[in-house]
Protein backbone atom coordinates (compact mmCIF):
# COMPACT_ATOMS: atom_id res chain seq x y z
CA UNK A 1 0.00 0.00 0.00
CA UNK A 2 1.29 3.48 -0.90
CA UNK A 3 2.62 5.56 1.93
CA UNK A 4 1.37 9.15 1.99
CA UNK A 5 2.74 12.06 4.03
CA UNK A 6 1.05 15.46 4.37
CA UNK A 7 2.32 18.77 5.74
CA UNK A 8 0.13 21.70 6.78
CA UNK A 9 -2.54 19.61 8.53
CA UNK A 10 -3.06 22.48 10.98
CA UNK A 11 -3.41 25.03 8.17
CA UNK A 12 -6.31 26.23 6.08
CA UNK A 13 -5.43 24.38 2.89
CA UNK A 14 -3.62 21.36 4.35
CA UNK A 15 -6.34 20.77 6.94
CA UNK A 16 -8.98 20.81 4.22
CA UNK A 17 -6.97 18.50 1.95
CA UNK A 18 -6.62 16.04 4.84
CA UNK A 19 -10.36 16.18 5.58
CA UNK A 20 -11.27 15.64 1.92
CA UNK A 21 -8.86 12.72 1.56
CA UNK A 22 -10.26 11.05 4.66
CA UNK A 23 -13.90 11.45 3.70
CA UNK A 24 -13.43 10.25 0.11
CA UNK A 25 -15.44 7.09 -0.60
CA UNK A 26 -13.14 6.13 -3.50
CA UNK A 27 -11.76 2.57 -3.13
CA UNK A 28 -8.20 3.75 -3.74
CA UNK A 29 -8.39 6.09 -0.73
CA UNK A 30 -10.85 4.44 1.66
CA UNK A 31 -8.45 2.31 3.63
CA UNK A 32 -5.46 4.61 3.57
CA UNK A 33 -3.71 5.89 6.65
CA UNK A 34 -2.15 9.30 6.15
CA UNK A 35 0.94 10.38 8.06
CA UNK A 36 1.02 14.07 8.95
CA UNK A 37 3.83 16.29 10.24
CA UNK A 38 2.83 18.74 12.99
CA UNK A 39 4.81 20.95 15.35
CA UNK A 40 3.25 20.41 18.78
CA UNK A 41 2.12 17.62 21.07
CA UNK A 42 -1.29 19.30 21.48
CA UNK A 43 -1.80 19.17 17.69
CA UNK A 44 -0.87 15.48 17.66
CA UNK A 45 -3.52 14.78 20.28
CA UNK A 46 -6.27 16.74 18.56
CA UNK A 47 -5.65 14.91 15.27
CA UNK A 48 -5.61 11.52 17.00
CA UNK A 49 -8.81 12.27 18.89
CA UNK A 50 -10.62 13.39 15.73
CA UNK A 51 -9.38 10.94 13.13
CA UNK A 52 -8.30 7.86 15.12
CA UNK A 53 -6.23 5.36 13.18
CA UNK A 54 -6.81 6.99 9.77
CA UNK A 55 -4.18 9.59 10.59
CA UNK A 56 -0.72 9.07 12.06
CA UNK A 57 0.63 12.40 13.36
CA UNK A 58 4.40 12.76 13.65
CA UNK A 59 5.90 15.63 15.62
CA UNK A 60 8.71 17.58 13.91
CA UNK A 61 10.66 20.76 14.42
CA UNK A 62 9.36 22.19 11.15
CA UNK A 63 10.54 23.14 7.69
CA UNK A 64 13.92 24.31 9.00
CA UNK A 65 14.97 20.74 9.97
CA UNK A 66 16.19 19.64 6.55
CA UNK A 67 18.07 16.51 7.68
CA UNK A 68 14.94 15.16 9.37
CA UNK A 69 12.82 16.07 6.34
CA UNK A 70 15.04 14.25 3.83
CA UNK A 71 15.26 11.12 6.02
CA UNK A 72 11.52 11.14 6.60
CA UNK A 73 10.63 11.85 2.96
CA UNK A 74 12.66 8.85 1.84
CA UNK A 75 10.05 6.59 3.51
CA UNK A 76 7.10 7.80 1.40
CA UNK A 77 5.60 7.32 -2.07
CA UNK A 78 3.55 10.52 -2.16
CA UNK A 79 4.16 13.73 -0.19
CA UNK A 80 1.52 16.44 -0.15
CA UNK A 81 3.36 19.59 0.88
CA UNK A 82 0.51 21.97 1.69
CA UNK A 83 2.08 23.79 4.63
CA UNK A 84 3.90 27.11 4.49
CA UNK A 85 5.34 27.51 0.97
CA UNK A 86 7.91 30.20 1.79
CA UNK A 87 10.77 28.08 3.21
CA UNK A 88 12.84 26.86 0.27
CA UNK A 89 15.43 24.58 1.96
CA UNK A 90 12.69 22.65 3.78
CA UNK A 91 10.62 22.11 0.65
CA UNK A 92 13.65 21.02 -1.38
CA UNK A 93 14.61 18.54 1.35
CA UNK A 94 11.40 16.65 0.58
CA UNK A 95 12.62 16.21 -3.00
CA UNK A 96 16.07 15.15 -1.77
CA UNK A 97 14.50 12.45 0.40
CA UNK A 98 12.18 11.21 -2.32
CA UNK A 99 15.13 11.07 -4.72
CA UNK A 100 16.54 8.19 -2.66
CA UNK A 101 13.58 6.10 -3.85
CA UNK A 102 13.74 6.85 -7.55
CA UNK A 103 15.82 3.85 -8.66
CA UNK A 104 13.85 1.32 -6.57
CA UNK A 105 10.45 2.64 -7.82
CA UNK A 106 7.56 3.19 -7.93
CA UNK A 107 8.00 6.81 -9.06
CA UNK A 108 7.77 9.03 -5.95
CA UNK A 109 5.61 12.16 -6.15
CA UNK A 110 5.66 15.55 -4.44
CA UNK A 111 2.45 17.59 -4.63
CA UNK A 112 3.49 21.12 -3.70
CA UNK A 113 1.49 24.28 -2.96
CA UNK A 114 2.47 27.75 -4.09
CA UNK A 115 0.82 31.03 -5.03
CA UNK A 116 -0.07 33.29 -7.93
CA UNK A 117 2.01 36.18 -6.57
CA UNK A 118 5.08 34.32 -7.89
CA UNK A 119 4.03 35.48 -11.36
CA UNK A 120 2.83 38.91 -10.38
CA UNK A 121 4.30 42.14 -11.66
CA UNK A 122 5.11 45.05 -9.35
CA UNK A 123 3.24 47.83 -11.14
CA UNK A 124 3.85 50.53 -8.52
CA UNK A 125 7.63 50.35 -8.26
CA UNK A 126 8.48 48.69 -11.58
CA UNK A 127 7.00 48.48 -15.08
CA UNK A 128 3.48 47.03 -15.14
CA UNK A 129 3.26 43.76 -17.11
CA UNK A 130 -0.40 42.72 -17.11
CA UNK A 131 -1.09 39.46 -18.94
CA UNK A 132 -2.89 36.15 -18.52
CA UNK A 133 -0.90 32.93 -18.11
CA UNK A 134 -2.40 29.62 -19.27
CA UNK A 135 -1.03 26.51 -17.55
CA UNK A 136 -1.38 24.47 -20.74
CA UNK A 137 -0.40 26.76 -23.61
CA UNK A 138 2.32 28.51 -21.56
CA UNK A 139 3.61 25.29 -20.00
CA UNK A 140 7.40 25.44 -19.73
CA UNK A 141 7.60 29.19 -20.35
CA UNK A 142 5.97 29.87 -16.97
CA UNK A 143 8.95 28.32 -15.21
CA UNK A 144 11.41 30.25 -17.37
CA UNK A 145 9.57 33.53 -16.80
CA UNK A 146 9.60 32.99 -13.04
CA UNK A 147 13.27 32.11 -13.22
CA UNK A 148 13.95 35.46 -14.89
CA UNK A 149 11.96 37.31 -12.22
CA UNK A 150 13.81 35.38 -9.56
CA UNK A 151 17.24 36.28 -10.95
CA UNK A 152 16.32 39.96 -10.81
CA UNK A 153 14.69 39.80 -7.41
CA UNK A 154 14.31 36.68 -5.24
CA UNK A 155 10.91 36.16 -3.61
CA UNK A 156 10.74 33.34 -1.03
CA UNK A 157 7.54 31.68 -2.23
CA UNK A 158 8.86 31.67 -5.81
CA UNK A 159 12.35 30.56 -4.72
CA UNK A 160 10.66 27.61 -3.03
CA UNK A 161 8.51 26.64 -6.02
CA UNK A 162 11.36 26.92 -8.52
CA UNK A 163 13.73 25.06 -6.20
CA UNK A 164 11.33 22.16 -5.77
CA UNK A 165 10.56 21.82 -9.47
CA UNK A 166 14.17 22.19 -10.61
CA UNK A 167 15.44 19.66 -8.05
CA UNK A 168 12.72 17.22 -9.10
CA UNK A 169 13.62 17.63 -12.77
CA UNK A 170 17.23 16.60 -12.21
CA UNK A 171 16.61 13.84 -9.66
CA UNK A 172 13.84 11.90 -11.35
CA UNK A 173 11.35 12.74 -8.59
CA UNK A 174 7.90 13.65 -9.95
CA UNK A 175 6.70 17.03 -8.70
CA UNK A 176 3.77 19.26 -9.50
CA UNK A 177 2.95 22.62 -7.90
CA UNK A 178 -0.53 24.04 -7.59
CA UNK A 179 -0.02 27.79 -7.92
CA UNK A 180 -3.05 28.99 -6.05
CA UNK A 181 -4.94 32.27 -6.39
CA UNK A 182 -7.11 33.86 -3.68
CA UNK A 183 -8.59 30.96 -1.72
CA UNK A 184 -11.98 31.48 -0.09
CA UNK A 185 -14.58 29.56 1.88
CA UNK A 186 -14.73 27.84 5.24
CA UNK A 187 -11.89 25.35 5.62
CA UNK A 188 -12.65 21.83 6.80
CA UNK A 189 -9.56 21.18 8.90
CA UNK A 190 -9.40 21.00 12.69
CA UNK A 191 -7.33 24.16 13.15
CA UNK A 192 -7.16 27.25 10.91
CA UNK A 193 -10.32 27.38 8.78
CA UNK A 194 -10.03 30.83 7.23
CA UNK A 195 -8.43 32.25 4.12
CA UNK A 196 -6.50 35.48 3.86
CA UNK A 197 -7.64 37.93 1.22
CA UNK A 198 -11.29 38.50 2.09
CA UNK A 199 -10.80 38.33 5.90
CA UNK A 200 -7.97 40.84 5.66
CA UNK A 201 -9.91 43.29 3.51
CA UNK A 202 -12.90 42.89 5.79
CA UNK A 203 -10.75 43.62 8.83
CA UNK A 204 -9.26 46.68 7.13
CA UNK A 205 -12.62 48.08 6.07
CA UNK A 206 -14.24 47.59 9.44
CA UNK A 207 -11.27 49.23 11.15
CA UNK A 208 -11.00 52.25 8.81
CA UNK A 209 -14.57 52.60 7.56
CA UNK A 210 -13.52 52.63 3.89
CA UNK A 211 -11.97 50.28 1.33
CA UNK A 212 -8.46 50.54 -0.10
CA UNK A 213 -6.72 50.25 -3.44
CA UNK A 214 -3.17 50.59 -4.67
CA UNK A 215 -4.35 51.05 -8.27
CA UNK A 216 -7.46 50.29 -10.35
CA UNK A 217 -6.26 47.20 -12.20
CA UNK A 218 -4.90 44.79 -9.58
CA UNK A 219 -6.60 41.42 -9.85
CA UNK A 220 -6.97 38.05 -8.17
CA UNK A 221 -8.31 34.81 -9.53
CA UNK A 222 -10.17 32.76 -6.96
CA UNK A 223 -10.92 29.18 -5.93
CA UNK A 224 -12.93 27.70 -3.06
CA UNK A 225 -10.78 25.84 -0.54
CA UNK A 226 -12.85 22.65 -0.89
CA UNK A 227 -12.49 22.68 -4.69
CA UNK A 228 -8.76 23.20 -4.27
CA UNK A 229 -8.57 20.30 -1.80
CA UNK A 230 -10.54 18.14 -4.23
CA UNK A 231 -7.92 18.81 -6.86
CA UNK A 232 -5.24 17.46 -4.53
CA UNK A 233 -7.47 14.42 -3.95
CA UNK A 234 -7.76 13.92 -7.73
CA UNK A 235 -3.98 14.12 -8.09
CA UNK A 236 -3.48 11.50 -5.37
CA UNK A 237 -6.11 9.25 -6.95
CA UNK A 238 -4.50 9.59 -10.37
CA UNK A 239 -1.15 8.51 -8.96
CA UNK A 240 -2.65 5.59 -7.06
CA UNK A 241 -5.07 4.38 -9.73
CA UNK A 242 -3.19 4.71 -13.02
CA UNK A 243 -0.74 1.94 -13.95
CA UNK A 244 1.78 4.61 -14.98
CA UNK A 245 1.27 6.37 -11.61
CA UNK A 246 0.66 9.60 -13.47
CA UNK A 247 4.19 9.79 -14.87
CA UNK A 248 4.20 11.72 -18.17
CA UNK A 249 0.48 12.33 -17.57
CA UNK A 250 0.49 14.83 -14.70
CA UNK A 251 2.94 17.60 -15.65
CA UNK A 252 6.11 17.45 -13.58
CA UNK A 253 9.40 19.26 -13.05
CA UNK A 254 9.84 22.46 -15.03
CA UNK A 255 6.45 21.93 -16.66
CA UNK A 256 4.85 20.94 -13.36
CA UNK A 257 2.78 24.05 -12.64
CA UNK A 258 -1.02 23.98 -12.55
CA UNK A 259 -3.39 26.87 -11.90
CA UNK A 260 -6.46 25.99 -9.85
CA UNK A 261 -8.27 29.17 -10.90
CA UNK A 262 -12.07 29.28 -11.18
CA UNK A 263 -13.09 32.95 -11.34
CA UNK A 264 -11.45 36.39 -11.45
CA UNK A 265 -12.03 39.71 -9.71
CA UNK A 266 -10.43 43.11 -9.51
CA UNK A 267 -9.19 44.12 -6.08
CA UNK A 268 -11.57 47.08 -6.28
CA UNK A 269 -14.50 44.66 -6.83
CA UNK A 270 -13.48 42.64 -3.77
CA UNK A 271 -13.39 45.84 -1.70
CA UNK A 272 -16.77 46.86 -3.10
CA UNK A 273 -18.35 43.52 -2.17
CA UNK A 274 -16.97 43.79 1.36
CA UNK A 275 -18.29 47.37 1.65
CA UNK A 276 -21.72 46.21 0.41
CA UNK A 277 -21.79 43.42 3.02
CA UNK A 278 -20.82 45.65 5.96
CA UNK A 279 -23.14 48.52 4.97
CA UNK A 280 -26.04 46.06 4.39
CA UNK A 281 -25.43 44.55 7.83
CA UNK A 282 -25.31 47.99 9.47
CA UNK A 283 -21.73 47.52 10.68
CA UNK A 284 -20.80 50.68 8.71
CA UNK A 285 -21.06 53.59 8.68
CA UNK A 286 -20.00 54.32 12.25
CA UNK A 287 -19.58 57.69 13.86
CA UNK A 288 -16.46 59.29 12.39
CA UNK A 289 -16.30 57.01 9.32
CA UNK A 290 -17.38 57.97 5.77
CA UNK A 291 -21.16 57.88 5.49
CA UNK A 292 -21.02 56.63 1.88
CA UNK A 293 -19.16 53.58 0.57
CA UNK A 294 -15.69 54.69 -0.40
CA UNK A 295 -12.53 53.03 -1.77
CA UNK A 296 -9.44 55.18 -1.13
CA UNK A 297 -6.10 55.03 -2.86
CA UNK A 298 -3.55 54.37 -0.13
CA UNK A 299 0.23 54.04 0.02
CA UNK A 300 2.07 50.79 -0.42
CA UNK A 301 3.82 51.34 2.91
CA UNK A 302 0.56 51.67 4.79
CA UNK A 303 -0.81 48.47 3.31
CA UNK A 304 2.44 46.59 3.88
CA UNK A 305 2.59 47.69 7.51
CA UNK A 306 -1.02 46.81 8.12
CA UNK A 307 -1.49 43.63 6.07
CA UNK A 308 1.82 41.97 5.19
CA UNK A 309 3.99 42.42 8.29
CA UNK A 310 5.86 45.33 6.67
CA UNK A 311 6.82 43.41 3.50
CA UNK A 312 6.26 45.91 0.66
CA UNK A 313 7.19 43.38 -2.05
CA UNK A 314 4.57 40.93 -0.81
CA UNK A 315 1.98 43.71 -0.49
CA UNK A 316 2.65 45.08 -3.97
CA UNK A 317 2.35 41.68 -5.64
CA UNK A 318 -0.72 40.67 -3.65
CA UNK A 319 -2.76 43.86 -3.36
CA UNK A 320 -1.43 45.77 -6.37
CA UNK A 321 -0.19 43.21 -8.88
CA UNK A 322 -1.54 41.63 -12.07
CA UNK A 323 -1.55 37.85 -11.85
CA UNK A 324 -4.29 36.47 -14.08
CA UNK A 325 -4.10 32.71 -14.46
CA UNK A 326 -6.12 30.44 -16.72
CA UNK A 327 -6.37 26.90 -15.41
CA UNK A 328 -6.78 24.62 -18.41
CA UNK A 329 -4.93 21.51 -17.24
CA UNK A 330 -6.86 20.38 -14.17
CA UNK A 331 -10.29 20.10 -15.88
CA UNK A 332 -8.80 18.66 -19.06
CA UNK A 333 -6.44 16.06 -17.58
CA UNK A 334 -8.08 15.18 -14.30
CA UNK A 335 -11.74 16.00 -14.88
CA UNK A 336 -11.66 18.59 -12.08
CA UNK A 337 -15.11 20.18 -11.84
CA UNK A 338 -15.18 22.98 -9.27
CA UNK A 339 -18.52 23.17 -7.43
CA UNK A 340 -18.19 26.57 -5.79
CA UNK A 341 -18.78 29.10 -8.54
CA UNK A 342 -19.96 32.74 -8.81
CA UNK A 343 -22.84 32.28 -6.34
CA UNK A 344 -20.54 30.89 -3.65
CA UNK A 345 -18.05 33.70 -4.29
CA UNK A 346 -20.73 36.38 -3.78
CA UNK A 347 -22.12 34.68 -0.68
CA UNK A 348 -18.65 34.52 0.85
CA UNK A 349 -18.65 38.23 1.70
CA UNK A 350 -21.76 37.85 3.82
CA UNK A 351 -20.59 34.61 5.44
CA UNK A 352 -17.17 36.01 6.29
CA UNK A 353 -18.75 38.95 8.10
CA UNK A 354 -20.92 36.56 10.11
CA UNK A 355 -17.84 34.48 11.00
CA UNK A 356 -16.02 37.60 12.15
CA UNK A 357 -18.96 38.75 14.22
CA UNK A 358 -19.22 35.32 15.84
CA UNK A 359 -15.57 35.46 16.89
CA UNK A 360 -14.43 32.68 14.57
CA UNK A 361 -11.60 34.67 12.91
CA UNK A 362 -7.98 35.37 13.92
CA UNK A 363 -4.94 36.67 12.05
CA UNK A 364 -2.82 34.33 9.94
CA UNK A 365 -0.81 36.40 7.45
CA UNK A 366 2.40 36.05 9.44
CA UNK A 367 2.29 32.25 9.45
CA UNK A 368 1.23 32.15 5.81
CA UNK A 369 4.32 34.01 4.65
CA UNK A 370 6.64 32.14 7.01
CA UNK A 371 7.15 35.07 9.39
CA UNK A 372 6.28 33.13 12.54
N1 LIG B 1 -4.57 31.13 1.98
C1 LIG B 1 -4.49 31.67 0.79
O1 LIG B 1 -5.39 32.45 0.35
C2 LIG B 1 -3.33 31.34 -0.11
C3 LIG B 1 -3.31 31.93 -1.39
C4 LIG B 1 -2.26 31.64 -2.25
C5 LIG B 1 -1.25 30.79 -1.85
N2 LIG B 1 -1.29 30.21 -0.62
C6 LIG B 1 -0.16 29.32 -0.28
O2 LIG B 1 -0.58 28.24 0.52
C7 LIG B 1 0.28 28.07 1.64
C8 LIG B 1 -0.55 27.53 2.78
O3 LIG B 1 -1.59 28.48 3.02
P1 LIG B 1 -2.62 28.33 4.21
O4 LIG B 1 -3.65 29.38 3.99
O5 LIG B 1 -3.05 26.92 4.36
O6 LIG B 1 -1.72 28.75 5.45
P2 LIG B 1 -2.00 28.58 7.01
O7 LIG B 1 -3.42 28.31 7.29
O8 LIG B 1 -1.34 29.71 7.69
O9 LIG B 1 -1.19 27.24 7.36
C9 LIG B 1 0.20 27.21 7.30
C10 LIG B 1 0.65 25.81 7.67
O10 LIG B 1 2.06 25.76 7.54
C11 LIG B 1 2.60 25.38 8.80
N3 LIG B 1 3.86 26.08 9.00
C12 LIG B 1 4.08 27.42 9.03
N4 LIG B 1 5.40 27.66 9.25
C13 LIG B 1 5.99 26.44 9.34
C14 LIG B 1 7.33 26.01 9.59
N5 LIG B 1 8.33 26.89 9.75
N6 LIG B 1 7.57 24.68 9.64
C15 LIG B 1 6.58 23.78 9.49
N7 LIG B 1 5.29 24.11 9.27
C16 LIG B 1 5.02 25.43 9.20
C17 LIG B 1 1.59 25.74 9.85
O11 LIG B 1 1.81 24.93 10.98
P3 LIG B 1 1.61 25.47 12.51
O12 LIG B 1 0.16 25.24 12.80
O13 LIG B 1 2.51 24.61 13.30
O14 LIG B 1 1.98 26.93 12.50
C18 LIG B 1 0.31 25.41 9.11
O15 LIG B 1 0.05 24.03 9.15
C19 LIG B 1 0.86 29.48 1.88
O16 LIG B 1 2.15 29.44 2.47
C20 LIG B 1 0.91 30.09 0.50
O17 LIG B 1 2.14 29.83 -0.13
C21 LIG B 1 -2.30 30.47 0.25
Amino acid sequence: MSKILLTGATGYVGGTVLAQLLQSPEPSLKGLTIDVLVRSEAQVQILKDAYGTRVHPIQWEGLEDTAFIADTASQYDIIINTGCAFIAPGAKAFVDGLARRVSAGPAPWLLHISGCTNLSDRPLTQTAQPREWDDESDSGTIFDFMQELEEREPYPQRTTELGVLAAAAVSGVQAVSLSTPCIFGQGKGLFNQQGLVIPYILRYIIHHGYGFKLNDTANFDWVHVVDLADLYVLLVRTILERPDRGVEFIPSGKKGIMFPAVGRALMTEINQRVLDAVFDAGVLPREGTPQEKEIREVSLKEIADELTVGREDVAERGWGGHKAMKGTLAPKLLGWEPKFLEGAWKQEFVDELVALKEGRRGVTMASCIGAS
Side-chain angles (χ1 to χ4, degrees):
M1 185 170 280
S2 286
K3 285 195 72 183
I4 301 182
L5 180 72
L6 178 136
T7 71
T10 58
Y12 177 52
V13 178
T16 308
V17 173
L18 182 62
Q20 293 298 96
L21 281 168
L22 294 175
Q23 76 168 46
S24 169
E26 295 299 329
S28 60
L29 297 175
K30 236 169 38 183
L32 278 181
T33 297
I34 298 166
D35 292 1
V36 300
L37 293 172
V38 289
R39 290 197 285 180
S40 81
E41 179 55 37
Q43 293 167 341
V44 168
Q45 203 51 53
I46 289 168
L47 284 156
K48 278 186 177 166
D49 290 348
Y51 296 133
T53 55
R54 291 294 311 279
V55 165
H56 175 230
I58 301 164
Q59 206 173 326
W60 66 329
E61 294 296 319
L63 282 155
E64 295 75 13
D65 191 352
T66 51
F68 170 86
I69 294 171
D71 286 345
T72 304
S74 69
Q75 319 283 317
Y76 291 88
D77 301 304
I78 302 173
I79 298 175
I80 307 165
N81 188 24
T82 40
C84 173
F86 284 73
I87 302 174
K92 181 175 170 291
F94 285 111
V95 181
D96 295 342
L98 288 174
R100 298 181 200 165
R101 298 175 74 85
V102 168
S103 52
W109 271 98
L110 181 71
L111 311 181
H112 184 67
I113 190 163
S114 198
C116 61
T117 48
N118 293 0
L119 275 167
S120 179
D121 57 0
R122 296 188 58 184
L124 306 174
T125 59
Q126 300 172 8
T127 310
Q129 290 184 299
R131 65 160 286 183
E132 180 187 73
W133 292 92
D134 184 314
D135 58 6
E136 183 182 50
S137 57
D138 296 318
S139 172
T141 55
I142 298 169
F143 184 97
D144 293 340
F145 175 73
M146 286 201 291
Q147 188 76 53
E148 274 174 44
L149 292 179
E150 189 65 13
E151 279 161 17
R152 287 207 298 272
E153 181 183 40
Y155 169 49
Q157 184 183 241
R158 188 172 55 222
T159 315
T160 308
E161 184 177 40
L162 291 171
V164 160
L165 296 176
V170 295
S171 65
V173 170
Q174 303 296 311
V176 63
S177 174
L178 298 193
S179 185
T180 52
C182 162
I183 308 167
F184 76 99
Q186 181 79 17
K188 288 193 164 183
L190 303 175
F191 303 85
N192 183 26
Q193 297 184 332
Q194 68 162 323
L196 281 171
V197 175
I198 296 171
Y200 269 68
I201 295 177
L202 180 61
R203 203 164 58 100
Y204 182 98
I205 287 179
I206 290 177
H207 179 64
H208 293 275
Y210 53 83
F212 72 89
K213 62 178 179 179
L214 294 173
N215 54 24
D216 286 314
T217 53
N219 57 13
F220 255 124
D221 292 294
W222 47 258
V223 64
H224 194 283
V225 67
V226 171
D227 283 330
L228 175 62
D230 284 345
L231 180 52
Y232 279 100
V233 172
L234 275 176
L235 285 166
V236 172
R237 282 188 54 207
T238 303
I239 296 163
L240 296 177
E241 293 170 16
R242 282 179 63 100
D244 62 9
R245 291 184 69 84
V247 177
E248 307 287 335
F249 178 74
I250 301 168
S252 171
K254 292 186 177 181
K255 293 191 168 180
I257 297 168
M258 294 171 79
F259 297 148
V262 176
R264 184 170 302 158
L266 292 170
M267 283 296 303
T268 47
E269 290 171 27
I270 300 175
N271 272 266
Q272 191 60 51
R273 288 193 189 283
V274 173
L275 280 169
D276 290 346
V278 295
F279 271 75
D280 286 352
V283 174
L284 288 179
R286 289 191 310 268
E287 200 183 327
T289 64
Q291 296 306 293
E292 303 296 329
K293 297 171 195 169
E294 190 186 325
I295 299 174
R296 285 188 193 169
E297 193 157 333
V298 295
S299 75
L300 180 57
K301 180 166 184 346
E302 182 199 320
I303 288 304
D305 286 345
E306 190 156 340
L307 299 179
T308 57
V309 290
R311 288 283 302 264
E312 292 192 18
D313 61 330
V314 178
E316 186 175 356
R317 292 185 181 96
W319 309 113
H322 306 104
K323 42 204 164 332
M325 308 186 312
K326 186 164 180 219
T328 305
L329 286 174
K332 189 166 167 179
L333 287 182
L334 306 171
W336 183 51
E337 286 182 49
K339 297 177 190 65
F340 297 88
L341 308 177
E342 199 68 31
W345 170 250
K346 288 180 183 158
Q347 181 60 32
E348 177 70 5
F349 296 86
V350 178
D351 293 349
E352 193 54 43
L353 180 58
V354 171
L356 186 73
K357 280 172 150 179
E358 291 177 356
R360 291 188 272 122
R361 293 299 184 245
V363 173
T364 63
M365 181 58 100
S367 85
C368 196
I369 66 167
S372 76

